Amino acid sequence: PASTGPISVAEYMREVLTNPVSGYYVNHDMLGPDGDFITSPEISQIFGELLGIWCVSEWMAAGRPKQFQLVEFGPGRGSLMSDILRVFSQLSAPLGGAEMSCHLVEVSPRLSKLQAQCLTGDQSQVSTNEDDPVYRRGTTTTGLPIYWYRRISDVPQGFSIFLAHEFFDALPIHIFQKTEKGWREVMVDVHPETEDKLRFVLLPSATLASSTLLQTDEKRRHVEVCPEGGVLIQQLACRIVEDGGAALIMDYGHDGVKTDTFRGFKAHKIHDVLAEPGTADLTADVDFSYLRRVAGDRVTCIGPISQRAFLKNMGIDTRLQVLLRHCQDPSNQAQLIQGYDILTNPEKMGERFQFFTLLNHRRLTTPETGEGLQKRKGPAPLPVAGFSELCLR
Ligand code: SAH
């Protein structure tokens, strides 16, 4: 900021998190007990297993298309994908015949290496050509082709289930405040007295962002907007309309009511967002009302619903009982129960985390069968697993 004047919070976040040389995600393995934060897939295998069932359930409800791409954004250490792939290989009979493939969108070459170790047993090849949209490729330990990309536009078109767990919260936000003169943007600037310190400033005049990103009927006086999240939702909606499929977004967030959620995490503690940039994770709650508005009416949006409700609807209680029955070691049993509690307890991750899905309109309309005069209604569509109680047929 010293030479450029104040920068937006979004530019600051992008620079701190994903700068190719010094970015937080590029240089850190931030997940797990020794990292800065821990996520649901790292806490319990059940999380990924239930999501694996969700993916298969949506693929079946779409009429079992021949092509089945599983796409994950920001896969971290690869734990979620690994648990899902185990479920897929156990469900090889119902999945039989589908041409399955795995696609990961990840900015960090360092994390892509960890993901490849976890998912391919270190049998992956890095592209030597910088212009290649696929920067790493391999075969999963379960036998599926797997590819790594930097952005969604590089992922091939085709029927896809898209998953984003704790991904949207890492995308850059703009911050605005309502003043007597209208909306003004909060920016990051160097401190006038101490050059090596940063501070927030409120710009005296409007910016392009402050005049375009807010709703005219906005009731809050402080608002965070994530336009990159909006662009990603538009890209997902287009693909779901054109190629079929579904997207599941899982993150901490709210439905358009919260303010001032921008924060930092270092070693599992809250960290000043402006101090020692690049050493701590920066994050903001996801505003699902914004994502729904951007998706528009091209796709069906369901949610957000709480993680607790979603996992209960997916049968987490039954799954826990099955695992406990198969496990003799008391310390493993205790760990399973503790993981279940962290994921579902309303005081822990159960209520703060929300699930939101984008679906192709066809998914919830009753198909017409037969020709001409014989036209009649086909079977009613299957309920969307997780968002209503799962009927096991
Ligand atoms: N989904 C994992 C990891 C969450 S951390 C879990 O829940 O455990 C966020 C992940 O998104 C990391 O893998 C990070 O490298 C990646 N990421 C962050 N910003 C990104 C961007 N703009 N494009 C692609 N990947 C990004």
Side-chain angles (χ1 to χ4, degrees), residues 41 44-57 59 68-73 75 78-92 95 100-104 118-119 140-142 144 146 161-165 248 250 310 314 319 355:
S44 172
Q45 68 179 81
I46 306 182
F47 188 83
E49 290 168 350
L50 296 177
L51 285 180
I53 294 173
W54 191 87
C55 296
V56 175
S57 152
W59 170 78
F68 183 175
Q69 302 192 141
L70 180 59
V71 185
E72 189 186 352
F73 294 94
S79 312
L80 174 60
M81 189 52 86
S82 150
D83 291 331
I84 292 179
L85 292 178
R86 192 175 59 249
V87 169
F88 281 14
S89 59
Q90 282 160 0
L91 293 178
S92 55
L95 282 169
M100 304 195 52
S101 53
C102 213
H103 306 262
L104 306 181
C118 169
L119 298 168
T140 68
T141 48
T142 61
L144 303 182
I146 183 166
I161 302 288
F162 298 95
L163 300 175
H165 184 263
L248 186 61
M250 302 154 272
F310 182 91
M314 289 300 303
R319 181 66 190 146
F355 282 58

Short mmCIF file of all heavy atoms in Angstrom, two decimals, residues 41 44-57 59 68-73 75 78-92 95 100-104 118-119 140-142 144 146 161-165 248 250 310 314 319 355:
data_model
loop_
_atom_site.label_atom_id
_atom_site.label_comp_id
_atom_site.label_asym_id
_atom_site.label_seq_id
_atom_site.Cartn_x
_atom_site.Cartn_y
_atom_site.Cartn_z
N PRO A 41 -13.89 -32.56 7.41
CA PRO A 41 -13.37 -33.81 6.83
C PRO A 41 -12.16 -34.35 7.61
O PRO A 41 -11.89 -35.54 7.58
CB PRO A 41 -12.94 -33.42 5.41
CG PRO A 41 -13.48 -32.08 5.15
CD PRO A 41 -13.84 -31.45 6.45
N SER A 44 -13.69 -36.26 11.12
CA SER A 44 -14.30 -37.60 11.10
C SER A 44 -14.47 -38.11 9.68
O SER A 44 -14.89 -37.37 8.78
CB SER A 44 -15.66 -37.55 11.79
OG SER A 44 -16.33 -38.78 11.61
N GLN A 45 -14.16 -39.40 9.47
CA GLN A 45 -14.34 -40.03 8.16
C GLN A 45 -15.81 -40.06 7.75
O GLN A 45 -16.13 -40.13 6.57
CB GLN A 45 -13.81 -41.47 8.19
CG GLN A 45 -14.66 -42.39 9.10
CD GLN A 45 -14.15 -43.82 9.12
OE1 GLN A 45 -13.22 -44.12 9.84
NE2 GLN A 45 -14.79 -44.68 8.34
N ILE A 46 -16.71 -39.99 8.76
CA ILE A 46 -18.15 -40.10 8.45
C ILE A 46 -18.59 -38.94 7.55
O ILE A 46 -19.45 -39.10 6.69
CB ILE A 46 -19.02 -40.11 9.74
CG1 ILE A 46 -18.53 -41.19 10.69
CG2 ILE A 46 -20.48 -40.31 9.42
CD1 ILE A 46 -19.36 -41.30 11.97
N PHE A 47 -17.98 -37.77 7.77
CA PHE A 47 -18.36 -36.59 6.99
C PHE A 47 -18.24 -36.88 5.49
O PHE A 47 -19.19 -36.73 4.73
CB PHE A 47 -17.48 -35.40 7.41
CG PHE A 47 -17.91 -34.09 6.81
CD1 PHE A 47 -18.92 -33.36 7.40
CD2 PHE A 47 -17.31 -33.61 5.66
CE1 PHE A 47 -19.33 -32.15 6.84
CE2 PHE A 47 -17.71 -32.40 5.10
CZ PHE A 47 -18.72 -31.67 5.69
N GLY A 48 -17.05 -37.33 5.07
CA GLY A 48 -16.82 -37.61 3.65
C GLY A 48 -17.66 -38.78 3.15
O GLY A 48 -18.11 -38.78 2.00
N GLU A 49 -17.86 -39.77 4.01
CA GLU A 49 -18.65 -40.93 3.59
C GLU A 49 -20.08 -40.51 3.24
O GLU A 49 -20.63 -40.93 2.22
CB GLU A 49 -18.68 -41.98 4.70
CG GLU A 49 -17.33 -42.66 4.89
CD GLU A 49 -17.26 -43.50 6.16
OE1 GLU A 49 -18.17 -43.42 7.00
OE2 GLU A 49 -16.27 -44.22 6.30
N LEU A 50 -20.67 -39.67 4.09
CA LEU A 50 -22.05 -39.23 3.83
C LEU A 50 -22.11 -38.36 2.57
O LEU A 50 -23.06 -38.42 1.80
CB LEU A 50 -22.63 -38.50 5.04
CG LEU A 50 -22.76 -39.38 6.30
CD1 LEU A 50 -23.28 -38.56 7.47
CD2 LEU A 50 -23.68 -40.58 6.06
N LEU A 51 -21.05 -37.55 2.35
CA LEU A 51 -21.03 -36.74 1.13
C LEU A 51 -20.88 -37.62 -0.10
O LEU A 51 -21.43 -37.31 -1.16
CB LEU A 51 -19.90 -35.71 1.20
CG LEU A 51 -20.22 -34.55 2.12
CD1 LEU A 51 -19.08 -33.56 2.14
CD2 LEU A 51 -21.49 -33.84 1.68
N GLY A 52 -20.13 -38.73 0.04
CA GLY A 52 -20.00 -39.67 -1.08
C GLY A 52 -21.38 -40.22 -1.45
O GLY A 52 -21.73 -40.31 -2.64
N ILE A 53 -22.16 -40.54 -0.44
CA ILE A 53 -23.51 -41.06 -0.70
C ILE A 53 -24.37 -39.97 -1.35
O ILE A 53 -25.15 -40.22 -2.26
CB ILE A 53 -24.15 -41.57 0.61
CG1 ILE A 53 -23.35 -42.79 1.08
CG2 ILE A 53 -25.62 -41.92 0.42
CD1 ILE A 53 -23.74 -43.31 2.43
N TRP A 54 -24.19 -38.72 -0.90
CA TRP A 54 -24.94 -37.60 -1.50
C TRP A 54 -24.64 -37.51 -3.00
O TRP A 54 -25.55 -37.37 -3.82
CB TRP A 54 -24.58 -36.29 -0.79
CG TRP A 54 -25.50 -35.16 -1.17
CD1 TRP A 54 -26.68 -34.85 -0.57
CD2 TRP A 54 -25.31 -34.21 -2.24
NE1 TRP A 54 -27.25 -33.77 -1.21
CE2 TRP A 54 -26.44 -33.36 -2.22
CE3 TRP A 54 -24.32 -34.01 -3.19
CZ2 TRP A 54 -26.59 -32.32 -3.13
CZ3 TRP A 54 -24.47 -32.97 -4.10
CH2 TRP A 54 -25.60 -32.13 -4.07
N CYS A 55 -23.35 -37.60 -3.35
CA CYS A 55 -22.95 -37.48 -4.77
C CYS A 55 -23.59 -38.59 -5.59
O CYS A 55 -24.15 -38.33 -6.67
CB CYS A 55 -21.43 -37.59 -4.91
SG CYS A 55 -20.52 -36.26 -4.12
N VAL A 56 -23.53 -39.83 -5.09
CA VAL A 56 -24.10 -40.95 -5.83
C VAL A 56 -25.60 -40.77 -5.95
O VAL A 56 -26.20 -41.01 -7.02
CB VAL A 56 -23.76 -42.30 -5.14
CG1 VAL A 56 -24.45 -43.46 -5.85
CG2 VAL A 56 -22.25 -42.50 -5.12
N SER A 57 -26.24 -40.31 -4.88
CA SER A 57 -27.68 -40.13 -4.89
C SER A 57 -28.11 -39.09 -5.94
O SER A 57 -29.09 -39.29 -6.66
CB SER A 57 -28.10 -39.74 -3.46
OG SER A 57 -29.25 -38.97 -3.46
N TRP A 59 -26.36 -38.27 -8.65
CA TRP A 59 -26.07 -38.85 -9.97
C TRP A 59 -27.20 -39.79 -10.39
O TRP A 59 -27.66 -39.78 -11.53
CB TRP A 59 -24.72 -39.58 -9.91
CG TRP A 59 -24.42 -40.40 -11.12
CD1 TRP A 59 -23.98 -39.96 -12.34
CD2 TRP A 59 -24.55 -41.83 -11.23
NE1 TRP A 59 -23.83 -41.02 -13.19
CE2 TRP A 59 -24.18 -42.17 -12.54
CE3 TRP A 59 -24.95 -42.84 -10.35
CZ2 TRP A 59 -24.18 -43.50 -12.99
CZ3 TRP A 59 -24.95 -44.15 -10.79
CH2 TRP A 59 -24.57 -44.47 -12.10
N PHE A 68 -19.54 -39.06 -15.40
CA PHE A 68 -19.72 -38.61 -14.02
C PHE A 68 -18.41 -37.98 -13.55
O PHE A 68 -17.47 -38.68 -13.24
CB PHE A 68 -20.13 -39.81 -13.16
CG PHE A 68 -20.42 -39.50 -11.70
CD1 PHE A 68 -20.89 -40.52 -10.87
CD2 PHE A 68 -20.24 -38.24 -11.14
CE1 PHE A 68 -21.16 -40.28 -9.52
CE2 PHE A 68 -20.50 -38.00 -9.80
CZ PHE A 68 -20.96 -39.02 -8.99
N GLN A 69 -18.38 -36.64 -13.57
CA GLN A 69 -17.19 -35.93 -13.08
C GLN A 69 -17.44 -35.47 -11.65
O GLN A 69 -18.45 -34.83 -11.37
CB GLN A 69 -16.91 -34.68 -13.94
CG GLN A 69 -16.72 -34.95 -15.41
CD GLN A 69 -16.16 -33.75 -16.16
OE1 GLN A 69 -15.33 -33.91 -17.04
NE2 GLN A 69 -16.60 -32.54 -15.84
N LEU A 70 -16.49 -35.76 -10.78
CA LEU A 70 -16.58 -35.25 -9.42
C LEU A 70 -15.55 -34.12 -9.33
O LEU A 70 -14.37 -34.34 -9.59
CB LEU A 70 -16.27 -36.36 -8.43
CG LEU A 70 -16.34 -35.96 -6.96
CD1 LEU A 70 -17.72 -35.45 -6.60
CD2 LEU A 70 -15.99 -37.16 -6.09
N VAL A 71 -16.02 -32.90 -9.00
CA VAL A 71 -15.15 -31.73 -8.99
C VAL A 71 -15.11 -31.17 -7.58
O VAL A 71 -16.15 -30.89 -6.99
CB VAL A 71 -15.68 -30.64 -9.96
CG1 VAL A 71 -14.71 -29.47 -10.05
CG2 VAL A 71 -15.98 -31.22 -11.34
N GLU A 72 -13.91 -30.98 -7.02
CA GLU A 72 -13.83 -30.34 -5.71
C GLU A 72 -12.98 -29.08 -5.77
O GLU A 72 -11.91 -29.06 -6.37
CB GLU A 72 -13.25 -31.30 -4.63
CG GLU A 72 -13.40 -30.66 -3.25
CD GLU A 72 -12.76 -31.42 -2.10
OE1 GLU A 72 -12.29 -32.56 -2.27
OE2 GLU A 72 -12.72 -30.82 -0.99
N PHE A 73 -13.48 -28.02 -5.12
CA PHE A 73 -12.74 -26.76 -5.02
C PHE A 73 -11.95 -26.73 -3.73
O PHE A 73 -12.51 -27.01 -2.66
CB PHE A 73 -13.72 -25.57 -5.05
CG PHE A 73 -14.42 -25.43 -6.36
CD1 PHE A 73 -15.66 -26.01 -6.56
CD2 PHE A 73 -13.81 -24.77 -7.41
CE1 PHE A 73 -16.30 -25.91 -7.78
CE2 PHE A 73 -14.44 -24.66 -8.63
CZ PHE A 73 -15.69 -25.24 -8.82
N PRO A 75 -9.31 -28.57 -2.16
CA PRO A 75 -9.45 -29.83 -1.41
C PRO A 75 -8.55 -29.95 -0.17
O PRO A 75 -8.57 -31.02 0.46
CB PRO A 75 -9.07 -30.91 -2.43
CG PRO A 75 -8.89 -30.20 -3.74
CD PRO A 75 -8.64 -28.76 -3.45
N GLY A 78 -6.92 -33.28 0.99
CA GLY A 78 -7.47 -34.37 0.19
C GLY A 78 -8.30 -35.37 0.99
O GLY A 78 -8.77 -36.37 0.45
N SER A 79 -8.51 -35.10 2.29
CA SER A 79 -9.21 -36.07 3.14
C SER A 79 -10.65 -36.31 2.70
O SER A 79 -11.13 -37.45 2.69
CB SER A 79 -9.24 -35.59 4.59
OG SER A 79 -7.96 -35.19 4.99
N LEU A 80 -11.36 -35.22 2.35
CA LEU A 80 -12.76 -35.36 1.96
C LEU A 80 -12.85 -36.23 0.70
O LEU A 80 -13.63 -37.20 0.64
CB LEU A 80 -13.37 -33.97 1.69
CG LEU A 80 -14.78 -33.93 1.14
CD1 LEU A 80 -15.75 -34.61 2.07
CD2 LEU A 80 -15.22 -32.49 0.88
N MET A 81 -12.02 -35.91 -0.30
CA MET A 81 -12.05 -36.67 -1.55
C MET A 81 -11.69 -38.13 -1.30
O MET A 81 -12.29 -39.04 -1.87
CB MET A 81 -11.07 -36.02 -2.54
CG MET A 81 -11.13 -36.55 -3.94
SD MET A 81 -12.78 -36.58 -4.65
CE MET A 81 -12.96 -34.96 -5.33
N SER A 82 -10.74 -38.36 -0.41
CA SER A 82 -10.31 -39.72 -0.15
C SER A 82 -11.46 -40.55 0.48
O SER A 82 -11.68 -41.71 0.09
CB SER A 82 -9.07 -39.67 0.73
OG SER A 82 -8.98 -40.77 1.56
N ASP A 83 -12.20 -39.96 1.41
CA ASP A 83 -13.33 -40.67 2.01
C ASP A 83 -14.44 -40.91 0.98
O ASP A 83 -15.10 -41.95 0.98
CB ASP A 83 -13.89 -39.89 3.22
CG ASP A 83 -12.91 -39.89 4.39
OD1 ASP A 83 -12.13 -40.86 4.52
OD2 ASP A 83 -12.92 -38.92 5.18
N ILE A 84 -14.66 -39.93 0.09
CA ILE A 84 -15.68 -40.08 -0.95
C ILE A 84 -15.29 -41.21 -1.92
O ILE A 84 -16.11 -42.04 -2.28
CB ILE A 84 -15.86 -38.75 -1.73
CG1 ILE A 84 -16.49 -37.70 -0.82
CG2 ILE A 84 -16.71 -38.97 -2.98
CD1 ILE A 84 -16.70 -36.34 -1.46
N LEU A 85 -14.00 -41.23 -2.30
CA LEU A 85 -13.57 -42.25 -3.27
C LEU A 85 -13.69 -43.66 -2.69
O LEU A 85 -13.97 -44.61 -3.41
CB LEU A 85 -12.14 -41.96 -3.75
CG LEU A 85 -12.00 -40.69 -4.60
CD1 LEU A 85 -10.54 -40.46 -4.99
CD2 LEU A 85 -12.88 -40.76 -5.85
N ARG A 86 -13.50 -43.78 -1.38
CA ARG A 86 -13.67 -45.09 -0.74
C ARG A 86 -15.12 -45.55 -0.85
O ARG A 86 -15.40 -46.70 -1.17
CB ARG A 86 -13.23 -45.02 0.73
CG ARG A 86 -13.08 -46.37 1.39
CD ARG A 86 -12.52 -46.28 2.80
NE ARG A 86 -13.36 -45.47 3.68
CZ ARG A 86 -13.01 -44.29 4.15
NH1 ARG A 86 -11.84 -43.76 3.85
NH2 ARG A 86 -13.83 -43.61 4.93
N VAL A 87 -16.05 -44.61 -0.63
CA VAL A 87 -17.48 -44.94 -0.79
C VAL A 87 -17.77 -45.34 -2.23
O VAL A 87 -18.46 -46.33 -2.49
CB VAL A 87 -18.36 -43.74 -0.37
CG1 VAL A 87 -19.81 -43.97 -0.77
CG2 VAL A 87 -18.25 -43.50 1.12
N PHE A 88 -17.22 -44.58 -3.18
CA PHE A 88 -17.45 -44.89 -4.60
C PHE A 88 -16.98 -46.30 -4.93
O PHE A 88 -17.64 -47.02 -5.66
CB PHE A 88 -16.72 -43.88 -5.50
CG PHE A 88 -17.43 -42.56 -5.65
CD1 PHE A 88 -18.47 -42.20 -4.80
CD2 PHE A 88 -17.06 -41.68 -6.66
CE1 PHE A 88 -19.12 -40.98 -4.94
CE2 PHE A 88 -17.71 -40.46 -6.82
CZ PHE A 88 -18.73 -40.12 -5.96
N SER A 89 -15.82 -46.69 -4.38
CA SER A 89 -15.34 -48.02 -4.76
C SER A 89 -16.17 -49.11 -4.08
O SER A 89 -16.33 -50.20 -4.62
CB SER A 89 -13.84 -48.19 -4.51
OG SER A 89 -13.56 -47.98 -3.17
N GLN A 90 -16.77 -48.78 -2.91
CA GLN A 90 -17.67 -49.75 -2.28
C GLN A 90 -19.00 -49.84 -3.03
O GLN A 90 -19.68 -50.86 -2.96
CB GLN A 90 -17.92 -49.37 -0.82
CG GLN A 90 -16.74 -49.76 0.07
CD GLN A 90 -16.72 -48.99 1.38
OE1 GLN A 90 -17.58 -48.15 1.64
NE2 GLN A 90 -15.71 -49.26 2.20
N LEU A 91 -19.36 -48.75 -3.72
CA LEU A 91 -20.63 -48.73 -4.46
C LEU A 91 -20.39 -49.04 -5.95
O LEU A 91 -21.12 -48.55 -6.81
CB LEU A 91 -21.32 -47.39 -4.31
CG LEU A 91 -21.82 -47.05 -2.90
CD1 LEU A 91 -22.45 -45.67 -2.88
CD2 LEU A 91 -22.84 -48.09 -2.42
N SER A 92 -19.36 -49.84 -6.24
CA SER A 92 -19.01 -50.05 -7.65
C SER A 92 -20.15 -50.73 -8.41
O SER A 92 -20.29 -50.52 -9.60
CB SER A 92 -17.72 -50.84 -7.78
OG SER A 92 -17.85 -52.04 -7.06
N LEU A 95 -22.68 -48.03 -9.36
CA LEU A 95 -21.99 -47.05 -10.20
C LEU A 95 -21.47 -47.67 -11.50
O LEU A 95 -20.95 -46.97 -12.37
CB LEU A 95 -20.81 -46.44 -9.44
CG LEU A 95 -21.16 -45.37 -8.41
CD1 LEU A 95 -19.95 -45.06 -7.55
CD2 LEU A 95 -21.65 -44.11 -9.09
N MET A 100 -16.22 -42.50 -14.64
CA MET A 100 -16.00 -41.55 -13.55
C MET A 100 -14.62 -40.92 -13.64
O MET A 100 -13.66 -41.56 -14.03
CB MET A 100 -16.12 -42.27 -12.22
CG MET A 100 -17.46 -42.96 -12.11
SD MET A 100 -17.79 -43.42 -10.45
CE MET A 100 -17.50 -41.90 -9.63
N SER A 101 -14.55 -39.65 -13.23
CA SER A 101 -13.26 -38.97 -13.16
C SER A 101 -13.30 -37.92 -12.05
O SER A 101 -14.36 -37.50 -11.62
CB SER A 101 -12.92 -38.31 -14.49
OG SER A 101 -13.99 -37.48 -14.90
N CYS A 102 -12.11 -37.55 -11.60
CA CYS A 102 -11.95 -36.70 -10.43
C CYS A 102 -11.20 -35.43 -10.83
O CYS A 102 -10.17 -35.52 -11.51
CB CYS A 102 -11.07 -37.52 -9.50
SG CYS A 102 -11.36 -37.32 -7.82
N HIS A 103 -11.73 -34.25 -10.44
CA HIS A 103 -11.14 -32.98 -10.88
C HIS A 103 -10.99 -32.05 -9.69
O HIS A 103 -11.97 -31.77 -9.01
CB HIS A 103 -12.05 -32.34 -11.94
CG HIS A 103 -12.35 -33.27 -13.07
ND1 HIS A 103 -11.67 -33.22 -14.26
CD2 HIS A 103 -13.22 -34.31 -13.17
CE1 HIS A 103 -12.12 -34.19 -15.06
NE2 HIS A 103 -13.06 -34.85 -14.42
N LEU A 104 -9.77 -31.57 -9.46
CA LEU A 104 -9.52 -30.72 -8.29
C LEU A 104 -9.10 -29.33 -8.74
O LEU A 104 -8.21 -29.18 -9.58
CB LEU A 104 -8.43 -31.33 -7.42
CG LEU A 104 -8.66 -32.79 -6.97
CD1 LEU A 104 -7.51 -33.26 -6.08
CD2 LEU A 104 -9.98 -32.94 -6.24
N CYS A 118 -2.02 -38.21 -0.88
CA CYS A 118 -3.16 -38.83 -0.21
C CYS A 118 -4.01 -39.64 -1.19
O CYS A 118 -4.47 -40.73 -0.86
CB CYS A 118 -3.98 -37.73 0.44
SG CYS A 118 -5.58 -38.24 1.05
N LEU A 119 -4.21 -39.12 -2.41
CA LEU A 119 -5.21 -39.72 -3.30
C LEU A 119 -4.63 -40.68 -4.33
O LEU A 119 -5.33 -41.57 -4.81
CB LEU A 119 -5.98 -38.60 -4.02
CG LEU A 119 -6.76 -37.67 -3.09
CD1 LEU A 119 -7.26 -36.44 -3.83
CD2 LEU A 119 -7.93 -38.42 -2.46
N THR A 140 -6.14 -42.32 -9.22
CA THR A 140 -6.36 -42.48 -7.78
C THR A 140 -6.08 -43.92 -7.37
O THR A 140 -6.08 -44.83 -8.21
CB THR A 140 -7.83 -42.15 -7.39
OG1 THR A 140 -8.69 -43.15 -7.95
CG2 THR A 140 -8.24 -40.78 -7.90
N THR A 141 -5.85 -44.14 -6.08
CA THR A 141 -5.60 -45.50 -5.59
C THR A 141 -6.81 -46.40 -5.85
O THR A 141 -6.69 -47.61 -5.82
CB THR A 141 -5.30 -45.49 -4.07
OG1 THR A 141 -6.30 -44.69 -3.44
CG2 THR A 141 -3.94 -44.90 -3.78
N THR A 142 -7.98 -45.78 -6.13
CA THR A 142 -9.17 -46.58 -6.46
C THR A 142 -9.34 -46.74 -7.97
O THR A 142 -10.36 -47.26 -8.43
CB THR A 142 -10.45 -45.95 -5.86
OG1 THR A 142 -10.61 -44.63 -6.43
CG2 THR A 142 -10.37 -45.83 -4.35
N LEU A 144 -9.34 -44.23 -10.54
CA LEU A 144 -9.97 -43.21 -11.39
C LEU A 144 -8.94 -42.20 -11.88
O LEU A 144 -8.01 -41.86 -11.15
CB LEU A 144 -11.05 -42.44 -10.60
CG LEU A 144 -12.17 -43.25 -9.98
CD1 LEU A 144 -13.15 -42.31 -9.28
CD2 LEU A 144 -12.88 -44.07 -11.05
N ILE A 146 -7.44 -38.63 -12.35
CA ILE A 146 -7.58 -37.42 -11.51
C ILE A 146 -6.72 -36.29 -12.08
O ILE A 146 -5.61 -36.54 -12.56
CB ILE A 146 -7.23 -37.74 -10.03
CG1 ILE A 146 -7.45 -36.52 -9.14
CG2 ILE A 146 -5.82 -38.28 -9.87
CD1 ILE A 146 -7.44 -36.83 -7.65
N ILE A 161 -20.72 -33.27 -10.41
CA ILE A 161 -21.11 -32.90 -9.07
C ILE A 161 -19.97 -32.05 -8.53
O ILE A 161 -18.81 -32.48 -8.51
CB ILE A 161 -21.31 -34.15 -8.17
CG1 ILE A 161 -22.36 -35.10 -8.76
CG2 ILE A 161 -21.67 -33.73 -6.74
CD1 ILE A 161 -23.80 -34.65 -8.69
N PHE A 162 -20.29 -30.81 -8.12
CA PHE A 162 -19.28 -29.86 -7.62
C PHE A 162 -19.37 -29.78 -6.11
O PHE A 162 -20.47 -29.59 -5.57
CB PHE A 162 -19.54 -28.47 -8.19
CG PHE A 162 -19.47 -28.38 -9.69
CD1 PHE A 162 -20.63 -28.48 -10.47
CD2 PHE A 162 -18.26 -28.19 -10.33
CE1 PHE A 162 -20.57 -28.38 -11.85
CE2 PHE A 162 -18.19 -28.10 -11.72
CZ PHE A 162 -19.35 -28.20 -12.47
N LEU A 163 -18.24 -29.86 -5.43
CA LEU A 163 -18.22 -29.74 -3.98
C LEU A 163 -17.28 -28.61 -3.56
O LEU A 163 -16.17 -28.49 -4.10
CB LEU A 163 -17.72 -31.03 -3.34
CG LEU A 163 -18.51 -32.31 -3.61
CD1 LEU A 163 -17.79 -33.50 -3.00
CD2 LEU A 163 -19.94 -32.20 -3.07
N ALA A 164 -17.73 -27.79 -2.61
CA ALA A 164 -16.85 -26.75 -2.07
C ALA A 164 -17.03 -26.73 -0.56
O ALA A 164 -18.07 -26.30 -0.06
CB ALA A 164 -17.20 -25.39 -2.67
N HIS A 165 -16.03 -27.23 0.15
CA HIS A 165 -16.09 -27.24 1.61
C HIS A 165 -15.07 -26.25 2.15
O HIS A 165 -13.88 -26.35 1.83
CB HIS A 165 -15.81 -28.63 2.17
CG HIS A 165 -15.95 -28.68 3.66
ND1 HIS A 165 -14.89 -28.56 4.51
CD2 HIS A 165 -17.07 -28.76 4.44
CE1 HIS A 165 -15.34 -28.59 5.76
NE2 HIS A 165 -16.65 -28.71 5.74
N LEU A 248 -22.69 -28.46 -4.30
CA LEU A 248 -22.96 -28.44 -2.86
C LEU A 248 -21.91 -27.54 -2.21
O LEU A 248 -20.71 -27.81 -2.31
CB LEU A 248 -22.89 -29.85 -2.30
CG LEU A 248 -23.30 -30.03 -0.83
CD1 LEU A 248 -24.75 -29.62 -0.62
CD2 LEU A 248 -23.10 -31.48 -0.39
N MET A 250 -20.55 -25.88 1.26
CA MET A 250 -20.60 -26.13 2.71
C MET A 250 -19.64 -25.15 3.38
O MET A 250 -18.45 -25.16 3.08
CB MET A 250 -20.13 -27.57 2.98
CG MET A 250 -20.96 -28.61 2.27
SD MET A 250 -20.02 -30.13 1.97
CE MET A 250 -19.25 -29.76 0.40
N PHE A 310 -28.39 -31.42 8.01
CA PHE A 310 -27.97 -32.13 6.80
C PHE A 310 -27.43 -33.52 7.15
O PHE A 310 -27.85 -34.53 6.58
CB PHE A 310 -26.91 -31.31 6.05
CG PHE A 310 -26.46 -31.97 4.76
CD1 PHE A 310 -27.10 -31.68 3.57
CD2 PHE A 310 -25.40 -32.87 4.75
CE1 PHE A 310 -26.70 -32.29 2.37
CE2 PHE A 310 -25.00 -33.49 3.56
CZ PHE A 310 -25.65 -33.19 2.38
N MET A 314 -28.88 -37.25 6.38
CA MET A 314 -28.08 -38.22 5.62
C MET A 314 -27.85 -39.51 6.40
O MET A 314 -27.18 -40.41 5.90
CB MET A 314 -26.71 -37.62 5.25
CG MET A 314 -26.73 -36.52 4.22
SD MET A 314 -27.39 -36.99 2.60
CE MET A 314 -26.37 -38.36 2.11
N ARG A 319 -24.95 -44.40 10.72
CA ARG A 319 -23.57 -44.66 10.29
C ARG A 319 -22.65 -44.77 11.51
O ARG A 319 -21.78 -45.64 11.57
CB ARG A 319 -23.11 -43.54 9.35
CG ARG A 319 -21.72 -43.71 8.81
CD ARG A 319 -21.60 -44.92 7.90
NE ARG A 319 -20.20 -45.21 7.58
CZ ARG A 319 -19.70 -46.42 7.39
NH1 ARG A 319 -20.49 -47.49 7.45
NH2 ARG A 319 -18.44 -46.59 7.11
N PHE A 355 -25.28 -25.77 4.73
CA PHE A 355 -25.23 -26.49 3.46
C PHE A 355 -26.21 -25.85 2.49
O PHE A 355 -27.35 -25.55 2.86
CB PHE A 355 -25.59 -27.97 3.66
CG PHE A 355 -24.46 -28.78 4.23
CD1 PHE A 355 -23.89 -28.45 5.45
CD2 PHE A 355 -23.96 -29.87 3.54
CE1 PHE A 355 -22.84 -29.19 5.97
CE2 PHE A 355 -22.91 -30.61 4.06
CZ PHE A 355 -22.35 -30.28 5.27
#
